[in-house]
Amino acid sequence: MRIFPIAAAFLALAACQQKAPHQPASNEAEAAAGTEGIKGVHRDHQGEPALGGTFTDADGKPVTLASFKGKPLLVNLWATWCAPCVKELPTLDRLAAGNSIDVVAVSQDSGPHASVVAFLKAHQIGTLRAYQDDKMALSGALGPDTVLPTSILIGADGREVWRYVGDLDWTSPEAAKLLSEAGASSKTG
């Protein structure tokens, strides 16, 4: 009997899913959808201005979320070592290719920027740009118990609509319904 592969998979998942305080769903429909633990939609920051914190773009230049104001924006915090993050990257890439919403996937890896670029290329992620938060300024604005992946929908007005904790198929009907809350759709061409 070989237990090692199962144990390794469990440890990889646990590394991404850090413990955070449970925040109840904002309505009965979300509660009924089975958001066990902390995974799912959270609306406790709805209406707040977009997060602060500077991160770097694909050219290594500093950028903030304010520079994206004017169109709905989906910000995704991910890392190369996080299995659920890697699982959802292709669907984020297809969403970004659909041009219905700006998608900013920000790597939380602290290594060299070239390693993030190489990782995206190796996984055939062609639309998402290689943003990186190696100083943890953006993720730090979320709080110390941030779980990866976490996606934040920001409306065209620069205010948060919701946060989705955990991985999601961003081309699914569930995602389309959530994205419509900011006037965005998940058409993937």
Side-chain angles (χ1 to χ4, degrees):
M1 179 167 83
R2 295 182 64 155
I3 298 177
F4 180 73
I6 295 169
F10 177 75
L11 290 173
L13 179 62
C16 304
Q17 303 288 333
Q18 300 172 22
K19 180 99 172 127
H22 174 70
Q23 299 169 356
S26 66
N27 63 44
E28 290 180 33
E30 287 172 16
T35 54
E36 298 174 6
I38 58 172
K39 183 174 181 173
V41 177
H42 298 268
R43 300 178 188 277
D44 50 327
H45 296 281
Q46 187 173 25
E48 292 179 7
L51 300 172
T54 302
F55 52 100
T56 57
D57 67 12
D59 298 321
K61 295 180 182 171
V63 64
T64 65
L65 295 179
S67 62
F68 296 94
K69 191 174 178 179
K71 184 176 179 183
L73 175 68
L74 183 66
V75 178
N76 176 269
L77 303 179
W78 70 282
T80 59
W81 44 263
C82 171
C85 301
V86 175
K87 175 185 166 190
E88 79 175 352
L89 272 176
T91 67
L92 280 166
D93 197 47
R94 286 193 298 275
L95 177 64
N99 294 319
S100 62
I101 185 169
D102 284 341
V103 180
V104 176
V106 185
S107 169
Q108 301 303 292
D109 290 276
S110 59
H113 189 73
S115 65
V116 174
V117 173
F119 182 88
L120 292 174
K121 185 176 181 178
H123 284 82
Q124 299 176 345
I125 305 298
T127 303
L128 295 175
R129 297 190 66 207
Y131 293 103
Q132 187 175 6
D133 184 24
D134 62 338
K135 305 284 190 246
M136 305 302 159
L138 183 61
S139 63
L142 286 172
D145 294 328
T146 301
V147 175
L148 296 179
T150 291
S151 298
I152 303 138
L153 182 64
I154 300 170
D157 62 357
R159 298 192 172 278
E160 185 170 321
V161 178
W162 47 252
R163 294 178 187 191
Y164 192 93
V165 176
D167 64 302
L168 181 66
D169 177 349
W170 290 101
T171 62
S172 71
E174 177 186 4
K177 183 178 177 184
L178 288 169
L179 293 169
S180 72
E181 294 182 34
S185 69
S186 64
K187 292 181 184 175
T188 57

